[in-house]
Amino acid sequence: MIALVVGFVFGLSVSYVFMNTQSFSYNGDFLRDLQSHWEVYNKKEREPTYLHDAHDHSDIEDAEGPVTEVIFHSPEEDAHSGEDNVAKELAKNVRILCWIMTQPKNHQSKARHVKATWGRRCNKLVFMSSEEDETLPAVKLDVKEGRNTLWGKTKQAFEYVYKNHLDEADWFLKADDDTYTVVENMRYLLMDKNSSDPVFFGRKFKPYVPQWWSRICSLKRGFDKICRTWHTKQGNVQTR
C-alpha cells in the first residue's frame, strides 16, 4: 500500500514538472487542419442516413419459399383446444371470400403457403392465375402474366367470382400471394357493417411507400354494382 502511494505521488510530481517545462505552440496550419477535420465530421453527422424501406421486398421477389407446407399448430392440440370458438361463431355470421392473385411460378413457393396458413380461415378461398392448378385450386384466366396486364387480370377475376361465387359470401377480399391477413380481425371490423350497402374498404399506400397496393374488401351489393358496370348487353367485360 505504501509503495502504491509513493508511486502515485512520484508519477504526479514528474508529470507536473514536465508540463511546466514544456511550451506548446500551435501554428496556423495545425489549426486550419483541425478545423477542416471538424467540418467534415460535422457534415457527416448532419447528412441523413439511408433507412431501409420495410415495405420493399424486391430483394426477395424471386426467392424460393419453403418446400413443405408451413403449419405450426394443429387444431387438435390440447393446448389450443377451444381457443377458436369465438372465431368459428363469427365466421358463420361474417362470411368472407378471399381471392388471391398469383401466377404459375408462385403456386408452390407462395400460394400454397397462403392456403396452409391464413387462407384456411376464409369461408371460401380462390386463387387467380393464368394456369390451372387443382392442388390450390387455381383458376385459369385468359390473360398473360405481367404488370401491364394486371388490371385486365383483376377485372377477369372479379367477373369470375361474380358469376360463380356471389352467393357464397357477404364480403370479398382481394389480396396477393405475398399478403398475410388476420381474417379474425377483419371479421371484427366488418361484424357491425351492413353487407347490403354498396361499399368497399381499402387503402392507398403511396404516401408511405414508392409503390402502392389496395387491399379491397367489397361486399355483395357493391361487388354486384362494380361487375355490372363492366358488362355490356352481350355480357363482355368493358375496358373503361
Side-chain angles (χ1 to χ4, degrees):
M1 184 67 180
I2 297 176
L4 179 62
V5 173
V6 172
F8 177 76
V9 173
F10 177 77
L12 188 62
S13 301
V14 172
S15 299
Y16 179 78
V17 172
F18 176 79
M19 291 179 61
N20 281 276
T21 56
Q22 299 294 319
S23 59
F24 296 94
S25 62
Y26 301 99
N27 57 34
D29 292 337
F30 174 80
L31 294 176
R32 282 191 294 270
D33 188 54
L34 182 63
Q35 183 179 7
S36 176
H37 282 289
W38 169 252
E39 290 176 351
V40 171
Y41 173 79
N42 192 43
K43 183 179 180 181
K44 288 183 178 180
E45 286 292 308
R46 294 177 179 273
E47 286 180 349
T49 56
Y50 171 74
L51 297 177
H52 176 68
D53 182 5
H55 298 275
D56 181 17
H57 54 258
S58 59
D59 55 333
I60 60 171
E61 185 67 34
D62 297 320
E64 293 291 336
V67 295
T68 59
E69 291 185 354
V70 181
I71 303 177
F72 295 104
H73 298 286
S74 168
E76 282 73 36
E77 290 182 15
D78 292 336
H80 300 282
S81 178
E83 289 184 344
D84 59 348
N85 288 343
V86 175
K88 286 181 178 179
E89 191 65 27
L90 195 58
K92 296 177 183 178
N93 301 318
V94 185
R95 300 180 303 162
I96 299 178
L97 181 148
C98 306
W99 64 269
I100 313 300
M101 191 80 83
T102 187
Q103 54 183 312
K105 71 174 185 177
N106 290 347
H107 286 184
Q108 295 303 311
S109 62
K110 294 182 179 180
R112 67 182 297 195
H113 302 299
V114 172
K115 179 182 178 180
T117 54
W118 68 269
R120 296 183 299 163
R121 295 170 172 81
C122 302
N123 295 86
K124 182 72 176 181
L125 179 65
V126 183
F127 291 89
M128 301 297 179
S129 182
S130 58
E131 289 185 10
E132 186 178 3
D133 189 334
E134 295 182 357
T135 63
L136 291 174
V139 176
K140 180 182 179 180
L141 301 176
D142 185 20
V143 64
K144 294 181 179 180
E145 297 292 353
R147 293 192 177 276
N148 292 335
T149 58
L150 191 57
W151 174 230
K153 184 178 180 181
T154 301
K155 288 194 291 184
Q156 285 194 30
F158 266 109
E159 183 182 23
Y160 178 87
V161 173
Y162 174 73
K163 289 181 178 180
N164 296 278
H165 303 290
L166 186 62
D167 295 325
E168 297 180 36
D170 305 303
W171 302 88
F172 301 85
L173 168 70
K174 180 265 179 188
D176 293 333
D177 55 17
D178 58 356
T179 301
Y180 194 94
T181 302
V182 182
V183 182
E184 292 82 358
N185 288 354
M186 186 176 302
R187 288 196 175 100
Y188 274 116
L189 170 70
L190 299 171
M191 63 184 296
D192 61 347
K193 305 296 188 297
N194 188 349
S195 61
S196 297
D197 293 335
V199 65
F200 70 87
F201 298 93
R203 185 173 183 84
K204 290 184 178 181
F205 289 95
K206 194 172 183 180
Y208 309 105
V209 293
Q211 59 275 72
W212 65 271
W213 302 267
S214 179
R215 305 290 181 238
I216 301 175
C217 186
S218 177
L219 66 164
K220 185 181 296 184
R221 188 175 171 190
F223 199 81
D224 177 79
K225 188 174 182 179
I226 291 172
C227 290
R228 285 183 182 275
T229 62
W230 289 343
H231 281 260
T232 62
K233 294 181 179 180
Q234 291 75 25
N236 297 322
V237 178
Q238 296 181 358
T239 58
R240 65 180 181 182

